[in-house]
Amino acid sequence: MTWTERVVEREGVRLVCRDWGGEGPGLVLLHGLAGHAGEWDALAGRLRSVHRVVAVDQRGQGASDRFPSDVSRDAFVEDVVAVADQLGLGRVVLVGQSMGGHAAILAAARHPDVVRALVAIEADVSGPDPEWPTQVRRWLDSWPDSFPSRDAAVQFFGGGAIGMGWADGLEERDGQWWPRFDRT
């Protein structure tokens, strides 16, 4: 089974989605920080028997526009609404992991007319941690600018399934493996 690329545009920002099709209520999948829609491929293929499944490359990441001027929580939330509306998904089941989970929680709270159910993975409603941006930047700054091979990336990210999952989030350009997002 495969997916079809769909593009949703909101306020000049291109959001690229993997539309797996399927029958039933709309289901929108949101990846975490430094992620991409392809992280959901295995799950999306299984869920399409009971849902219309769409995985989103969130703004600034994956195949979506890399340098949007607005990367606020509000922008991520309104992107969810735009995806549901422009793809005709109706009231969606919203699944988000980590950063995508935070966007999903906020979207469900702010737009109950759009979100019919919520699944938050590795996300909660606790208040903002003032150290979080510094910790994330330090972690991303520990990455090399690019990796000489996919295997080198897998090893950098700890090897095994987790390392392979992170390496899957990279893209090959000019014989090097690069993140699908910009750290600045």
Side-chain angles (χ1 to χ4, degrees):
M1 290 180 244
T2 77
W3 47 271
T4 302
E5 182 175 290
R6 304 272 186 231
V7 176
V8 170
E9 189 168 323
R10 190 180 78 75
E11 296 183 353
V13 176
R14 286 179 62 255
L15 303 168
V16 177
C17 304
R18 292 184 179 200
D19 186 342
W20 285 83
E23 300 297 322
L27 175 81
V28 175
L29 302 166
L30 302 174
H31 61 76
L33 180 68
H36 64 105
E39 294 175 13
W40 297 106
D41 285 355
L43 181 63
R46 290 183 182 106
L47 293 176
R48 67 186 301 272
S49 65
V50 292
H51 289 278
R52 161 92 184 277
V53 181
V54 173
V56 181
D57 271 332
Q58 296 188 81
R59 61 177 46 227
Q61 301 172 68
S64 291
D65 282 350
R66 292 280 178 88
F67 303 101
S69 60
D70 187 358
V71 290
S72 67
R73 296 280 187 201
D74 291 338
F76 283 92
V77 167
E78 295 310 315
D79 289 348
V80 169
V81 175
V83 166
D85 179 54
Q86 291 181 36
L87 297 182
L89 301 176
R91 290 188 71 216
V92 299
V93 175
L94 191 54
V95 179
Q97 184 265 331
S98 191
M99 179 197 75
H102 289 148
I105 290 167
L106 292 173
R110 293 179 187 169
H111 298 282
D113 56 316
V114 174
V115 180
R116 62 185 248 135
L118 170 68
V119 178
I121 304 164
E122 299 176 324
D124 64 24
V125 294
S126 62
D129 177 354
E131 292 299 312
W132 183 79
T134 301
Q135 292 168 351
V136 169
R137 179 156 303 279
R138 190 176 308 128
W139 177 63
L140 292 175
D141 286 346
S142 76
W143 293 24
D145 288 334
S146 66
F147 298 90
S149 68
R150 185 178 185 287
D151 288 340
V154 169
Q155 292 311 307
F156 177 84
F157 293 120
I162 292 174
M164 287 188 285
W166 279 100
D168 285 346
L170 303 174
E171 62 187 3
E172 185 177 13
R173 292 186 311 227
D174 302 321
Q176 297 281 307
W177 292 82
W178 299 83
R180 294 179 197 240
F181 62 93
D182 181 64
R183 292 189 272 223
T184 60

